[in-house]
Amino acid sequence: MAHLLLHALLQQMDSAAATQGATHPESPYSAAGDDQDGCNCSKSMGMLRSLHIEGLPPTMTAAELSQLMAPYGCVQYAEAAPEAVKDEANGEYTRKLHCYVVFTDHLGACQAKRVLQPRSPEQAGAADALRVRFCKPQNVVPLCTPTFRAFVTAQWAQAAAAAKASPDYKKASCKVNALFVSKLHQHITTARLTSLFGKFGKMLACEVQYHSDGRSAGHGVVIYETIEDAEKALAGTNGYRLEGRTIEVTPLRLKKLPSKLEHLKNRIQRQPTSGDASGSEDGSGSLPVCSPKSMISTPPTPA
């Protein structure tokens, strides 16, 4: 039944979802002053109606999840998928639950996200805080159904195409052929990082950084031959889930270049920005400049 429902969802991606005009009952979780019916999302974001929720009880079932989300809008599909996460302190594995909800329209998903997402850093840091976001392809864990993964991928592809067609669309640019990768799991090695980033182009270097006692520093550096390849890697890996963690990938600043890679400093290319004639990250003017390339704007797909 779930497979047939998701197949129907995929077919609906070919046409815009009609506005249902149904009112959403006030949620018991909502806070005073919330604009329950307003939505300031862009046209492209307005095509998204699936959420990824972390922090719910590990015993939560799909039926309970659907019932929990009902106050925000009509739920079309719900899935609860567990993931085994290794505890760095004792080496034991714990069960983490990933919940996914598909609403019949964007308004329901937007309202649930706005109400349930913590509103301050203090709330976000609480032990029982929820993490609610629009579901991306790289955030769909392996135990989810393949059809649901295909639905999310198709949905983001449509949103990306709509954003690109917008007159306000601005291409993101890496402007440098080197990337800084942070929030890595302690068990991620240079070989594992090379396996992930190597598919985007030829690399000059790829290193996970370690402390003097041999522990991983939780970050690494990747240097490509061209800015174009770095742009593709940035688009395809930032926000990617690796060993249960969502990694963060940003353009490299020279001050973060490890001393062991200092010999590659003159191989780092940077596209100069307006008013920056030096072409170097630190203003030294010693780095060569590469002509800008187009960034690939299609959404990332899981490995």
Side-chain angles (χ1 to χ4, degrees), residues 49-69 75 77-83 95-103 109 112-113 116-117 129-136 138-145 148 151-152 241:
R49 49 195 178 90
S50 56
L51 294 179
H52 174 210
I53 306 173
E54 297 177 272
L56 290 172
T59 56
M60 177 76 66
T61 64
E64 292 171 338
L65 177 62
S66 181
Q67 184 177 7
L68 181 65
M69 295 294 111
V75 176
Y77 179 79
E79 184 170 339
E83 179 186 32
R95 187 175 184 269
K96 181 178 180 180
L97 190 68
H98 295 266
C99 294
Y100 304 92
V101 185
V102 179
F103 289 86
K113 179 179 181 296
L116 296 176
Q117 182 67 27
L130 295 180
R131 185 179 185 186
V132 186
R133 53 189 166 173
F134 289 112
C135 186
K136 295 182 178 180
Q138 65 265 34
N139 298 133
V140 179
V141 296
L143 286 181
C144 285
T145 59
F148 174 70
F151 165 70
V152 173
R241 287 190 62 79

Side-chain angles (χ1 to χ4, degrees), residues 8-68:
L9 288 176
L10 281 168
Q11 291 180 328
Q12 292 177 9
M13 295 300 296
D14 295 330
S15 59
T19 303
Q20 295 191 351
T23 58
H24 302 295
E26 184 174 353
S27 166
Y29 298 96
S30 60
D34 267 333
D35 180 7
Q36 293 295 323
D37 296 318
C39 176
N40 296 321
C41 293
S42 64
K43 182 179 179 181
S44 57
M45 290 297 291
M47 303 178 72
L48 305 178
R49 49 195 178 90
S50 56
L51 294 179
H52 174 210
I53 306 173
E54 297 177 272
L56 290 172
T59 56
M60 177 76 66
T61 64
E64 292 171 338
L65 177 62
S66 181
Q67 184 177 7
L68 181 65

